[in-house]
Amino acid sequence: MPLLLRSLELTRFRNLEHARLELAEGFTVLWGHNGAGKTNVLEALYLLATLRSFRTTDLSWLVQTEAPAASVTLQAYDEQVALPTTLQVQLARTGSGVRRSAHADGKLVRSAIDFYGRLRAVLFTPDDLAVLRESPSQRRQFLDRMLFARERAHIADVQDYERLVRSRNSVLRDESLTASTREPLLDAYESQLAQVGARIWSRRERLLDELAPGARASFAAIHGRPGVDPAQGAAAELGLSYAARLGTVAEPERAGALAARLRERRVVDRDRGATTVGPHRDDVLVRLDDRPVGEFASQGQTRAIVLALKLAELGLADQAGARPLLLLDDVGSELDPLRTAALFARLAEVSGQCVITTTAREFVRLPPSGEHRFWAVERGVVRATPGPAGPPAEP
Ligand SMILES: Nc1ncnc2c1ncn2[C@@H]1O[C@H](COP(=O)(O)OP(=O)(O)OP(=O)(O)O)[C@@H](O)[C@H]1O
Ligand SMILES: [Mg+2]
């Protein structure tokens, strides 16, 4: 459902007592000092998209200290039906936590699943850098989260898979079982694990194949193409591949190969008390010129790669007709002026509506064409200001 977002209103949301801001068709820039409330505004938009926060699982933190309730309201124009539409999330404190309720056009939407997806958003936060820097589980989660939004069946498969791994592990660890009871139990769990595991593996791999060309192109656009401008720093090619524990296996043979390997590993896995093969141990290899980024990439390169992955995600959702909102938190730090300019040029090319936070308004280099808005955020108060080219605004 393509939505054109018009305005956002916040009441008693974190440190924002009351704020109302119009959103630009192009870039909306929130600028101000550390701790001013910029990320809080992104968090409110993310809440409308997902009914969750990217900073906490306990939504009571989102309600202003001492306030009984908070609300976030979005006015938008639904291009499909050519009508204005309103989305609202209310958070009301209860004795133990907070009650969340979602409304569309003034009507309560009881099921989260019915609300979820009315507004699609792709978020970048500095925390996303962990996708490249930290453990394989972060990279698997990155793919799984995208798949959850695209294919409902993936959610159920991941839940089933995790449950089956736990069951297999508890059978392996159970010393009271004789071989004649243990082996048939393992046969049963492993054959299910292999079926579900093969589906998870194939979906992740296909998604990565779909993401790779867009990510490569965005990385090249932000960081520089090989052979172009070598004086501006090393240009490198981004490589993305799914690294299954089982190596390369054709799709139709995966369930069989997984089942066979699980059976082979029974003795080893019993010693370790864990299932050591399967998609819960897979990884995504991210390489620059064939070198692993974790060991090789600079800070700025790491940031450019993660941004490129986000833009590829945006591109896929866009193809599916969702036209997502892009939320970029603190996007600029660590990129040099050349890369910053290249990033904004790329964003202008590939993103629709985009909301950015920054501590330095000068840092933002927006294309001259397109409608942009700048909002200063200061101690929870949001007000309209000119962009960096306009007359200097009071801080
Ligand atoms: N529930 C709450 N009630 C009142 N204030 C809150 C609440 N939760 C957080 N805050 C305040 O919100 C502020 C943080 O806002 P936010 O994270 O949006 O800052 P920011 O402008 O993004 O800063 P930075 O540039 O450092 O990232 C902090 O000052 C914090 O004390
Ligand atoms: Mg912030």
Side-chain angles (χ1 to χ4, degrees):
M1 176 171 72
L3 283 187
L4 182 62
L5 314 191
R6 293 243 158 100
S7 69
L8 178 71
E9 194 165 347
L10 311 174
T11 14
R12 302 193 164 170
F13 186 86
R14 293 233 188 228
N15 71 335
L16 300 126
E17 167 73 31
H18 181 250
R20 189 191 144 85
L21 56 157
E22 278 84 47
L23 299 164
E25 266 186 59
F27 293 84
T28 300
V29 180
L30 304 161
W31 62 281
H33 294 140
N34 293 137
K38 306 178 298 292
T39 303
N40 293 343
V41 177
L42 288 196
E43 193 179 29
L45 284 163
Y46 188 85
L47 179 70
L48 286 162
T50 64
L51 293 173
R52 293 200 281 177
S53 163
F54 52 87
R55 300 205 280 197
T56 171
T57 51
D58 177 2
L59 295 182
S60 63
W61 289 106
L62 276 55
V63 182
Q64 196 168 63
T65 320
E66 316 275 314
S71 73
V72 179
T73 312
L74 178 77
Q75 305 286 349
Y77 183 74
D78 183 340
E79 292 176 339
Q80 204 169 4
V81 292
L83 284 173
T85 180
T86 307
L87 298 178
Q88 185 180 62
V89 177
Q90 297 176 359
L91 301 170
R93 283 195 203 279
T94 60
S96 52
V98 78
R99 186 168 33 82
R100 176 190 76 189
S101 59
H103 303 256
D105 300 321
K107 287 192 212 78
L108 180 69
V109 181
R110 284 181 196 282
S111 139
I113 287 177
D114 287 342
F115 191 79
Y116 183 72
R118 286 171 193 253
L119 168 65
R120 283 287 294 271
V122 172
L123 167 77
F124 168 87
T125 81
D127 289 344
D128 289 325
L129 300 174
V131 169
L132 296 189
R133 289 188 183 148
E134 278 159 36
S135 64
S137 75
Q138 298 271 346
R139 292 182 281 281
R140 293 191 297 267
Q141 258 180 36
F142 173 79
L143 294 178
D144 284 340
R145 280 209 201 99
M146 278 186 67
L147 285 165
F148 294 159
R150 283 157 58 106
E151 289 180 62
R152 272 259 150 99
H154 196 68
I155 303 178
D157 277 350
V158 168
Q159 285 168 349
D160 286 349
Y161 184 84
E162 285 169 357
R163 185 176 47 76
L164 288 161
V165 169
R166 283 195 300 273
S167 303
R168 180 176 185 268
N169 291 347
S170 62
V171 171
L172 289 170
R173 288 179 200 145
D174 190 343
E175 296 296 335
S176 71
L177 297 176
T178 61
S180 61
T181 39
R182 186 174 55 238
E183 298 299 306
L185 278 173
L186 289 175
D187 288 342
Y189 286 137
E190 287 170 10
S191 90
Q192 292 179 61
L193 261 176
Q195 297 293 332
V196 184
R199 288 201 293 272
I200 293 173
W201 172 2
S202 297
R203 279 196 211 106
R204 285 183 187 157
E205 194 181 76
R206 266 184 258 134
L207 173 65
L208 198 63
D209 287 348
E210 281 182 59
L211 281 172
R216 224 178 357 255
S218 279
F219 180 74
I222 298 166
H223 197 76
R225 287 170 196 82
V228 176
D229 235 349
Q232 304 294 348
E237 184 151 291
L238 177 65
L240 292 170
S241 53
Y242 190 74
R245 265 294 164 107
L246 255 65
T248 314
V249 181
E251 244 189 84
E253 281 143 37
R254 285 177 186 169
L258 259 173
R261 185 66 69 83
L262 284 163
R263 171 175 272 280
E264 261 169 51
R265 303 280 301 186
R266 277 182 198 175
V267 176
V268 178
D269 286 358
R270 240 188 111 191
D271 277 350
R272 305 220 181 139
T275 298
T276 55
V277 66
H280 65 296
R281 294 288 176 105
D282 290 351
D283 198 355
V284 176
L285 288 185
V286 187
R287 300 179 152 251
L288 277 187
D289 283 344
D290 276 337
R291 296 182 184 92
V293 293
E295 284 74 28
F296 181 69
S298 73
Q299 306 265 70
Q301 283 172 327
T302 303
R303 196 167 270 256
I305 294 168
V306 177
L307 283 164
L309 282 166
K310 296 287 172 176
L311 294 185
E313 177 181 355
L314 189 80
L316 288 189
D318 217 10
Q319 276 168 26
R323 182 133 15 110
L325 169 68
L326 183 59
L327 302 172
L328 299 177
D329 194 20
D330 211 1
V331 66
S333 41
E334 289 167 4
L335 293 179
D336 61 43
L338 197 86
R339 268 55 185 245
T340 304
L343 169 66
F344 281 107
R346 182 68 179 171
L347 288 174
E349 246 170 68
V350 300
S351 77
Q353 287 185 289
C354 179
V355 183
I356 293 177
T357 72
T358 178
T359 49
R361 184 173 42 157
E362 310 70 54
F363 160 81
V364 178
R365 319 269 173 105
L366 299 183
S369 62
E371 188 231 354
H372 313 307
R373 285 174 188 271
F374 282 74
W375 298 89
V377 185
E378 202 58 39
R379 273 179 257 141
V381 177
V382 180
R383 73 191 158 81
T385 68
E394 300 298 317

